[in-house]
Amino acid sequence: MSAISLSPFSTSWSPSGNSTPASVTASAQASSRVPLASAVSPGVTRNSVTNFTPSAIPEAVPSTMGDTRFLHVTQWPLAMESIDVTYEAIAPSQTSSRQMQVWEQTPTTAVDQIIGRNASATTEKARFAGLGSALIEQAARTGSSYRQTVVNLGAVSSPDKIQGKATGAMWGIQSSPSASATFAITTQSGATVRISIADQREQRATGSGIAVQIEVDGNLTQQEKDALQSLAEGFDLAIEGLTAESPVLRLDGLLKFDSKLFTKLEFKVDIYGVDQDGVRILKLGANISADAKTREIELKSPEGTVRMKTDLRQPALWGTADQKAYAVRQYLSRIDKAAERGHADSGLVDLFKSSFAALNGGYESANSPGRSGSASISIGDPVDLTRDANAFSEGDKSLLTGLADFDASITATRRASNPRRTKEVDTFEYTLKQSTQVSGSSPSNRGFIQTQSAKLSAAYHQSLNSTAAPKLTSDSATQNYSYEKVEDSSSTQVELGYEKDEPVRALITQAASQSLHVLKVENNKITENTAEPAHVQSKQTDLLPLLKQLKRQQDANPLTDDEKQKQLQEWGGMVLGSLATD
């Protein structure tokens, strides 16, 4: 990308066609042997650049050239016959279009190259491509702050008007972007790194463009820099997933941060659009935070809200990768069934499912090699069975889900879709929870109670003639439908206890309830109003005899690995099974 600096020390020349003054040509040939990231003109320093923030917009200083304190033009239209320039890195560029490209600071870094490339893209995914990783890599490499903005403007009638128009465009990008992303991380030593990207994709009256900023507060050690750089690809993948046409959470790369070096990570993405009335709305807002103890996700869209929180304080209870993957598959299947029963929005459900999978895929079991935060308890240490990797046996863990405790919910936006009966509100709310209480003074006197619960509350309009939602208007002819309300709940509780390393309690208790209320309307008249009796089920399974038998077999004649795994998988299936459609 060619770069021209508007500067009070510039010399005047008039571009004509593709010709370039001899002095510029000589400089261009000299600088062409220098990588763009290090090519900076003599006498030009970043300290002379005016800081631009939304709260402190530089006021234009009238002059024959306009205020040129911080603008660098890389493209201008042929219609502007002359412009005062100072050569920076590469020769200038003229374009036959009625567009100008203006930079806040001289574009010299690898990040600038990516910004310049992305600024002409037409989708948010393409405009953010590679930008997050480049910013993290620059922060990790330099350990210092940085800021840049590029704007694409409609041509102005004269150079002295560039400053005012570009300033307005820069302000517009920061204050009202079409999409933005921020990443912040805090080190154990107290240093913070914050990276922000603001994009204005639409060509507004003020222009379009991209603004980025790196803010480093404190000094980063080399180890912290290396750990920060390892998150670069994860940052890109997270942004790529959320800016896709069908958004999805991809957090594995970010959530595997080193908790020995970093105390907290925050990631936020906002994508805007307009509604049917042309009003600016938030199309998707994502907030993710993580530390050594918890991880939280909140996603908002016009369709509803997804929330999820995991508790990472009991790593001794987590299962193997295979056990966790099985549990996640079972839960995703439950979510699908609940969505079908409650007629949920498919896009919102997909976000919920990807959130659930993402938060349960970024932590390892206590026995995983290199896992931080868990260890075997030594003699003399305070007893904490929740962190002792060897406190619970393989058989014990087969009676657990293998997942960290969580609290997850999906709530659809309430809508009164029938103008003739506005009290008939379409709703969908589904919650999933798991909590685990550990007891015992030692591994030989250990115990736990793990409770899983699910609750579905939904209401929807159903066409009498098809599976599609009815198109209801104030016209009586459209009033042919059923309005159905669903209330379901289920729970599974597992209790396990040992005394002197002998099992004394092993119970699985399950309960489920389903109810349905149907209001049927034909030709705007209620023809049916029925409430089905709640269908309630409960079941208790005593596994203590089987557990004792397994222990005796192991002591007398150990089972083969295949036999043991078959038994453990059977128990795991009971723990994750349900009595009714959740």
Side-chain angles (χ1 to χ4, degrees), residues 240-402:
E240 179 182 293
L242 289 169
T243 54
E245 186 174 346
S246 298
V248 64
L249 276 180
R250 296 174 180 167
L251 299 179
D252 281 359
L254 278 185
L255 293 182
K256 290 181 179 177
F257 67 96
D258 190 342
S259 59
K260 292 180 180 178
L261 297 176
F262 301 119
T263 61
K264 187 173 185 179
L265 180 148
E266 296 174 289
F267 173 59
K268 176 180 172 66
V269 169
D270 288 328
I271 301 172
Y272 296 90
V274 294
D275 63 14
Q276 58 186 4
D277 299 319
V279 178
R280 185 172 184 263
I281 59 169
L282 180 67
K283 290 178 59 180
L284 178 63
N287 282 279
I288 293 95
S289 63
D291 56 31
K293 295 181 180 180
T294 60
R295 290 177 181 176
E296 295 185 59
I297 288 177
E298 182 180 68
L299 302 174
K300 291 185 176 181
S301 76
E303 286 70 40
T305 302
V306 168
R307 292 187 176 91
M308 184 170 177
K309 182 176 181 178
T310 54
D311 184 342
L312 305 181
R313 293 176 297 177
Q314 301 185 119
L317 303 177
W318 305 343
T320 63
D322 286 344
Q323 185 183 7
K324 288 197 303 175
Y326 173 73
V328 169
R329 288 196 301 272
Q330 293 297 107
Y331 268 107
L332 296 184
S333 177
R334 292 188 187 185
I335 293 169
D336 282 335
K337 291 177 181 177
E340 182 179 6
R341 180 162 166 80
H343 291 230
D345 176 81
S346 60
L348 191 63
V349 171
D350 286 344
L351 285 176
F352 187 47
K353 290 170 65 177
S354 64
S355 299
F356 191 90
L359 279 200
N360 284 298
Y363 57 87
E364 299 173 335
S365 69
N367 294 314
S368 297
R371 219 209 81 79
S372 62
S374 61
S376 298
I377 302 297
S378 301
I379 295 176
D381 287 344
V383 175
D384 184 359
L385 301 183
T386 66
R387 306 191 70 81
D388 183 354
N390 299 317
F392 295 93
S393 69
E394 191 176 10
D396 298 342
K397 291 183 179 181
S398 72
L399 294 174
L400 296 165
T401 65

Side-chain angles (χ1 to χ4, degrees), residues 404-431:
D405 286 347
F406 60 84
D407 188 342
S409 67
I410 172 175
T411 306
T413 302
R414 297 169 63 89
R415 303 187 190 280
S417 60
N418 188 356
R420 294 295 294 263
R421 291 182 171 87
T422 56
K423 291 184 179 181
E424 296 175 355
V425 179
D426 295 328
T427 64
F428 180 89
E429 183 172 3
Y430 184 54
T431 60

Side-chain angles (χ1 to χ4, degrees), residues 489-551:
S489 64
S490 67
S491 66
T492 297
Q493 186 175 86
V494 177
E495 300 178 63
L496 180 68
Y498 285 83
E499 291 180 4
K500 297 180 181 180
D501 213 26
E502 290 291 328
V504 296
R505 184 174 64 259
L507 285 175
I508 298 179
T509 304
Q510 295 172 297
S513 174
Q514 288 184 313
S515 67
L516 178 65
H517 181 269
V518 178
L519 179 74
K520 188 175 180 181
V521 177
E522 296 180 271
N523 296 319
N524 200 32
K525 293 182 179 180
I526 297 176
T527 59
E528 182 181 329
N529 189 354
T530 59
E532 296 180 4
H535 182 54
V536 180
Q537 300 180 76
S538 63
K539 179 182 178 182
Q540 189 172 77
T541 304
D542 188 356
L543 293 178
L544 186 58
L546 292 175
L547 200 61
K548 287 183 175 181
Q549 180 182 351
L550 180 64
K551 190 174 187 304

